[in-house]
């Protein structure tokens, strides 16, 4: 194989979700930034094309003139991915998705997350499955946050979700990819994009996720809560690209003992 | 009439959802409106009449992960 045939490094290495092609495999959230200017700067630096938002009550009677996130992150420029964060029941999550669709003029790509409790923000799988079924039936394109259980991931795919997004570790924990073996099994069995969502703490975590063969990584806190968010956005962009290329290149086998890189013959001796 | 808007009581003398959004100074923004649990599409804000006792939820997009 010549160098020009190496896929990914030279040609466009894109991925698709819900029929749309993306160049960037980094998906990022818009929460926890200092202000909208920082949010926008970090997103621009990251190269992300899919950007998550939350749906919340509009302040009434106060701050009527306050800026709107979508004035900074234009739906014309980015694929806006509304989430159901804060929902603990299928009914609440379905309602939130319907509000988001109305808000975004019929845009039907959503991030479904139904949470179990506030301490862990772990996915509540029973409610997640109920919500996924209802949303798919209602025509939504569902990217679903799930635990790292390969059977749950496969079930969600079979139900018609357009992407399955297992956690690396707890939302906002920054603990990295705690069960890479499960993530790898999920990827091997999948026919839809697998995107690690939650848990990334720093660039090496993102690279590891991509080296496992994920189609992408979704993160928020790792960038927003970094000492310098815009610089970390740059680091994450590179980590995602490096991890992807390493996956495509195929890592060398692990060995228990040394294997010399320099020729053993011809060593000069006195 | 008296309405419940995002959990607060509001005395309102207009007629439609569009009137309410104008009164709240949020007209023209990217919003979704629910009246008594049902979404009212943007195209109907100008004609959809509100009634005494209605519960209204108005939402928008904010930062989130």
């Amino acid at each position: 194989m010549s160098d020009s045939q190496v896929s990914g490094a030279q040609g466009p290495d894109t991925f698709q979700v819900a029929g749309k092609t993306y160049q960037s495999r980094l998906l990022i959230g818009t929460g926890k930034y200092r202000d909208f200017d920082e949010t926008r700067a970090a997103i621009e630096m990251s190269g992300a094309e899919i950007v998550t938002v939350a749906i919340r009550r509009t302040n009434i009677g106060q701050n009527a003139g306050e800026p709107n996130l979508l004035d900074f992150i234009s739906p014309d420029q980015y694929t806006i991915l509304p989430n159901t964060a804060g929902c603990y029941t299928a009914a609440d999550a379905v309602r939130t998705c319907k509000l988001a669709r109305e808000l975004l003029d019929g845009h039907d790509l959503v991030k479904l997350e139904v949470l179990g409790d506030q301490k862990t923000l772990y996915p509540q799988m029973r409610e997640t499955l109920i919500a996924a079924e209802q949303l798919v039936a209602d025509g939504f394109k569902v990217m679903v946050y799930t635990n790292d259980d390969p059977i749950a991931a496969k079930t969600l795919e079979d139900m018609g979700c357009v992407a399955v997004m297992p956690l690396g570790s707890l939302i906002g924990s920054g603990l990295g990819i705690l069960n890479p073996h499960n993530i790898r099994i999920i990827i091997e069995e999948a026919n839809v994009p697998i995107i690690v969502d939650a848990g990334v703490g720093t660039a090496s975590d993102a690279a590891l996720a991509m080296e496992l063969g994920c189609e992408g990584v979704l993160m928020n806190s790792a960038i927003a809560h970094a000492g310098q968010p815009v610089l970390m956005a740059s680091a994450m962009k590179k980590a995602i690209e490096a991890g992807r290329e390493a996956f495509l290149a195929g890592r060398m086998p692990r060995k228990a003992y040394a294997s010399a890189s320099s020729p053993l013959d011809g060593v000069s001796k006195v | 009439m008296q309405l419940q808007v995002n959990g607060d009581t509001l005395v309102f003398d207009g007629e439609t959802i569009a009137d309410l959004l104008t009164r709240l100074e949020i007209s023209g923004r990217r919003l979704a409106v629910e009246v008594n649990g049902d979404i009212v599409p943007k195209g109907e804000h100008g004609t959809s009449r509100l009634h005494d006792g209605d519960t209204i939820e108005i939402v928008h997009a904010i930062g989130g992960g």
Side-chain angles (χ1 to χ4, degrees):
Chain A
M1 183 193 271
S2 72
D3 283 351
S4 63
Q5 289 175 302
V6 177
S7 59
Q10 275 77 32
D13 173 43
T14 59
F15 87 111
Q16 280 153 11
V17 180
K20 193 170 173 188
T21 301
Y22 298 94
Q23 313 295 320
S24 172
R25 294 171 179 273
L26 174 55
L27 296 72
I28 70 176
T30 54
K32 303 178 177 177
Y33 287 94
R34 195 173 53 214
D35 53 37
F36 289 151
D37 285 328
E38 186 181 71
T39 311
R40 178 164 56 190
I43 292 171
E44 284 178 358
M45 181 60 82
S46 76
E49 297 166 280
I50 302 176
V51 174
T52 65
V53 302
I55 306 298
R56 291 290 181 273
R57 279 177 166 172
T58 301
N59 284 330
I60 300 299
Q62 53 185 348
N63 309 323
E66 70 182 358
N68 187 319
L69 174 65
L70 296 181
D71 295 334
F72 285 76
I73 311 300
S74 169
D76 297 330
Q77 189 179 354
Y78 296 98
T79 293
I80 304 297
L81 182 61
N83 69 27
T84 61
C87 293
Y88 290 83
T89 66
D92 281 349
V94 170
R95 171 176 173 258
T96 300
C97 289
K98 289 179 177 174
L99 285 165
R101 182 167 61 183
E102 162 64 14
L103 179 69
L104 294 166
D105 305 320
H107 173 78
D108 53 12
L109 186 70
V110 293
K111 172 183 164 178
L112 171 64
E113 55 178 302
V114 189
L115 306 173
D117 67 35
Q118 293 186 3
K119 191 171 182 181
T120 65
L121 299 179
Y122 213 77
Q124 214 299 355
M125 292 311 298
R126 183 189 64 218
E127 297 292 315
T128 298
L129 290 162
I130 293 168
E133 186 168 43
Q134 292 179 11
L135 289 168
V136 170
D138 197 9
F140 283 95
K141 300 181 178 82
V142 180
M143 300 174 71
V144 57
Y145 176 60
T146 177
N147 59 18
D148 58 11
D149 169 358
I151 304 304
K154 196 65 189 171
T155 303
L156 288 161
E157 175 187 323
D158 291 345
M159 291 170 73
C161 293
V162 298
V164 175
M165 307 201 291
L167 52 78
S169 50
L170 300 183
I171 291 172
S173 70
L175 290 175
I177 316 298
L178 293 185
N179 197 339
H181 307 289
N182 273 26
I183 300 285
R184 185 176 279 122
I185 293 170
I186 290 171
I187 292 165
E188 284 173 2
E189 298 300 319
N191 296 305
V192 295
I194 301 300
I195 295 168
V196 162
D197 179 5
V200 166
T202 189
S204 53
D205 298 331
L208 173 60
M210 294 308 297
E211 287 170 19
L212 293 170
C214 293
E215 289 290 321
V217 178
L218 199 167
M219 65 180 75
N220 191 150
S221 305
I223 295 175
H225 277 181
Q228 295 185 52
V230 178
L231 186 57
M232 186 58 88
S234 171
M236 290 300 184
K237 178 180 191 210
K238 293 167 183 163
I240 294 287
E241 291 171 357
R244 176 65 184 172
E245 289 189 7
F247 169 73
L248 292 172
R251 63 155 295 138
M252 62 162 281
R254 289 180 171 85
K255 297 170 188 166
Y257 292 99
S259 172
S261 297
S262 304
L264 299 174
D265 297 335
V267 175
S268 176
K269 290 175 181 167
V270 290
Chain B
M1 69 179 95
Q2 189 165 299
L3 307 173
Q4 285 289 316
V5 182
N6 285 2
D8 291 332
T9 301
L10 182 84
V11 177
F12 175 59
D13 58 4
E15 294 181 352
T16 64
I17 292 174
D19 294 340
L20 176 64
L21 298 180
T22 300
R23 152 84 191 275
L24 297 172
E25 299 179 19
I26 52 176
S27 190
R29 288 184 168 223
R30 207 178 261 280
L31 301 165
V33 178
E34 207 181 55
V35 178
N36 301 326
D38 293 321
I39 290 171
V40 180
K42 288 184 190 71
E44 298 174 17
H45 287 185
T47 53
S48 180
R49 292 185 167 281
L50 295 170
H51 302 94
D52 189 47
D54 279 348
T55 297
I56 294 134
E57 288 287 317
I58 306 172
V59 301
H60 67 313
I62 66 158

